[in-house]
Amino acid sequence: MAEIKSHKIKISILLLLTLIAFILIIKASSEVSHTQKEVPLATKGVLDLRDWDFKVDGIIKLNGGWEFYNNELLLPEELKSVPVVSARNDQAPVYDHIPGIFGQQGYCTYRLKLLMDNKDELYSVKIDFIQNAYELWADNKLITSVGQVGKSRNEMVPQKVPSIGSFYVENGETYLVLRVSNFYNKYGYIDTLILGESKDIMAIREKKLALSLFIIGCTMMAAIYSFGVFINRRKEKAQLYFAIICIIIAVRTIFIGEGFIISLLPHLDYIFSTKIKIWTFYGYMPFIVLFIHNSYEQIMSSKFVEMSNYLAGAYTLIVMFVPIEYYLFYIPPFELFALVSLFNMMYKICIVYIQKGKTGYIVVVGRDLKRHFIKKLKVDTVYIVVVGLFALFITRINDILYEYSIIITNSFAPLGILIFIIVNYYLFRGL
């Protein structure tokens, strides 16, 4: 009994430390500035940055109220008068908050006046996510664009990839004009735009790209190794499932983040790439269930595994044949099941092998072409497996909330998966 209590205390402490670590990581990712002073917000279309020192205070988010012109695609020269009067309805502009949702399918224009010291620095704006075509102007200069904006589905060309636009400040102020159109998703989401000195913005992009390439490299190496093991031990299906998990994550990482695949294939079909992102958002979960089930002496119930497989098939068919604008409606049930699956796997490993365990070992079954063998892992080592699943669980929750713009952070699923892969690669490398 004392040993069981000790196991409970250890796993609780490890999970708590893991939770704290990820909270700190997620919190740090949402804070781009490094100052103790109050961060200014845009108010009624104006953001005063005259007291903001980019060298000392760092990068700033362009959050707050922007001038908003719904169902209008206005160019900077059409927005010269102050106060601005709508080109169509002779009404003063309304203000809309960025980040946020600009409504359902349609098009619109945002404008923000930046008050800044007149310096010779080159400034840049980084945009990670806007659905699903946009242009960003600084004064009368187009500084970046993704896809092609239009007033109808036929006029616009959709694309979703991060971009950076640079400009110089003249006469102590700059007007940013953002033209957006969305006819391919149910709602139009606009993520946080960040502003800083160009070298700092480019450094952020390079770090994110480096992390993506690192994850791709790690997952592909793990996939090749596990698949090689499976070739030599055909009955050891856990290695095959692990390789499939790694490949799916590598593919997803190529398509998300800094849009590595789009830079290589700029004319890649938008609907195809979006369906790949949607499918890989959930597609690896059934293989994690199969991997855990086959690695730990059939630890999951057969009905649960069958349900996971059936849902995977249903999800694949839905992604293939349902238009992408409806994905927000059919994803939630599968995401709920993914969270239940992760929690169930953690529970099974903790309860079945630790609470009921009369030994300090967990049994892992393996097979090769000539023999059936059993490897015993110390329970202290099994804690690491639970932490790997818990990392997946935390990052999964973050990504669900981020996907629906409930929180404005970043996608951390690749990081959670990378931890899971490293943990299991370490534990099973000797099988």
Side-chain angles (χ1 to χ4, degrees):
M1 184 65 68
E3 185 179 356
I4 292 175
K5 185 176 181 180
S6 174
H7 290 327
K8 287 183 177 180
I9 293 173
K10 287 180 180 179
I11 196 65
S12 297
I13 292 174
L14 277 174
L15 294 181
L16 179 61
L17 292 175
T18 305
L19 178 61
I20 293 173
F22 271 94
I23 289 175
L24 293 176
I25 291 172
I26 292 171
K27 185 175 183 296
S29 75
S30 63
E31 296 177 353
V32 293
S33 57
H34 41 78
T35 180
Q36 299 299 319
K37 73 166 75 171
E38 183 178 356
V39 179
L41 296 174
T43 304
K44 293 185 177 181
V46 179
L47 180 56
D48 192 342
L49 299 176
R50 287 173 292 188
D51 293 329
W52 189 266
D53 189 336
F54 286 93
K55 295 185 181 300
V56 176
D57 301 323
I59 295 168
I60 191 169
K61 297 177 181 178
L62 301 180
N63 291 352
W66 291 48
E67 295 173 7
F68 178 64
Y69 302 88
N70 194 26
N71 294 324
E72 297 189 61
L73 284 178
L74 303 175
L75 292 169
E77 55 264 27
E78 300 177 82
L79 297 168
K80 288 183 178 179
S81 60
V82 179
V84 180
V85 176
S86 174
R88 290 188 175 182
N89 52 27
D90 296 327
Q91 294 179 356
V94 296
Y95 300 96
D96 195 27
H97 191 274
I98 289 182
I101 302 173
F102 63 83
Q104 298 187 8
Q105 294 186 351
Y107 52 93
C108 63
T109 303
Y110 290 88
R111 189 175 87 148
L112 179 66
K113 181 179 181 179
L114 299 176
L115 300 177
M116 305 170 66
D117 291 334
N118 191 8
K119 297 180 179 179
D120 295 330
E121 293 288 347
L122 178 65
Y123 294 99
S124 294
V125 175
K126 188 175 190 301
I127 303 174
D128 282 337
F129 178 83
I130 293 180
Q131 288 176 324
N132 17 49
Y134 62 88
E135 296 175 353
L136 181 64
W137 298 68
D139 294 325
N140 293 318
K141 179 183 177 182
L142 177 65
I143 58 174
T144 187
S145 65
V146 170
Q148 178 179 311
V149 297
K151 296 182 179 180
S152 68
R153 189 182 179 99
N154 292 331
E155 287 185 16
M156 72 166 294
V157 176
Q159 191 53 271
K160 189 163 64 176
V161 64
S163 70
I164 294 175
S166 302
F167 63 93
Y168 289 98
V169 176
E170 297 180 2
N171 302 319
E173 64 180 38
T174 294
Y175 283 94
L176 296 180
V177 175
L178 179 65
R179 291 158 34 100
V180 183
S181 60
N182 166 49
F183 290 95
Y184 284 81
N185 292 85
K186 184 66 175 178
Y187 299 99
Y189 290 99
I190 298 181
D191 203 348
T192 296
L193 284 68
I194 59 174
L195 170 69
E197 293 185 356
S198 185
K199 58 181 177 57
D200 295 331
I201 296 294
M202 294 302 296
I204 289 179
R205 181 184 183 278
E206 290 170 359
K207 288 177 182 178
K208 288 186 175 182
L209 184 58
L211 177 60
S212 295
L213 294 176
F214 176 72
I215 292 174
I216 293 169
C218 289
T219 52
M220 289 307 299
M221 284 194 300
I224 292 170
Y225 173 83
S226 296
F227 189 72
V229 172
F230 172 74
I231 293 296
N232 292 320
R233 307 172 185 172
R234 294 297 179 92
K235 293 183 179 181
E236 193 174 336
K237 293 183 179 180
Q239 295 286 355
L240 174 62
Y241 298 140
F242 189 68
I244 293 173
I245 294 168
C246 295
I247 292 172
I248 292 175
I249 294 305
V251 171
R252 176 165 178 78
T253 306
I254 289 172
F255 277 84
I256 64 172
E258 292 302 305
F260 178 71
I261 190 67
I262 303 300
S263 62
L264 296 178
L265 303 171
H267 300 294
L268 186 67
D269 183 72
Y270 172 79
I271 294 178
F272 171 78
S273 62
T274 301
K275 284 183 177 289
I276 292 292
K277 295 175 187 176
I278 295 172
W279 185 79
T280 55
F281 191 58
Y282 175 82
Y284 60 84
M285 280 305 308
F287 294 102
I288 290 180
V289 173
L290 290 169
F291 169 70
I292 295 295
H293 181 65
N294 282 268
S295 296
Y296 299 97
E297 287 194 315
Q298 310 293 308
I299 191 173
M300 312 297 292
S301 70
S302 57
K303 289 184 178 180
F304 187 86
V305 175
E306 288 179 5
M307 181 185 297
S308 175
N309 293 336
Y310 286 137
L311 287 176
Y315 184 79
T316 300
L317 292 175
I318 290 173
V319 172
M320 288 176 61
F321 297 108
V322 175
I324 59 174
E325 52 261 41
Y326 299 111
Y327 82 93
L328 288 176
F329 301 101
Y330 62 73
I331 279 184
F334 295 96
E335 285 304 318
L336 178 61
F337 183 78
L339 294 177
V340 171
S341 298
L342 290 171
F343 184 83
N344 189 24
M345 286 183 281
M346 288 188 292
Y347 175 83
K348 289 289 188 181
I349 293 176
C350 290
I351 299 301
V352 175
Y353 284 108
I354 296 178
Q355 183 173 334
K356 294 183 180 180
K358 297 180 181 179
T359 175
Y361 294 88
I362 180 171
V363 178
V364 180
V365 178
R367 297 178 181 86
D368 60 21
L369 293 177
K370 298 181 179 179
R371 62 193 176 97
H372 172 98
F373 61 88
I374 293 177
K375 182 176 181 179
K376 290 183 177 181
L377 300 175
K378 289 183 179 180
V379 167
D380 287 345
T381 307
V382 175
Y383 294 151
I384 303 175
V385 179
V386 179
V387 169
L389 288 170
F390 191 56
L392 267 180
F393 185 77
I394 298 171
T395 54
R396 193 80 186 179
I397 292 176
N398 172 83
D399 277 38
I400 292 172
L401 298 177
Y402 174 70
E403 182 72 16
Y404 289 90
S405 294
I406 298 173
I407 60 174
I408 305 299
T409 54
N410 282 300
S411 174
F412 284 96
L415 178 59
I417 281 288
L418 180 61
I419 294 173
F420 175 81
I421 288 173
I422 291 174
V423 163
N424 286 278
Y425 185 80
Y426 168 77
L427 291 178
F428 293 99
R429 72 193 190 284
L431 286 178

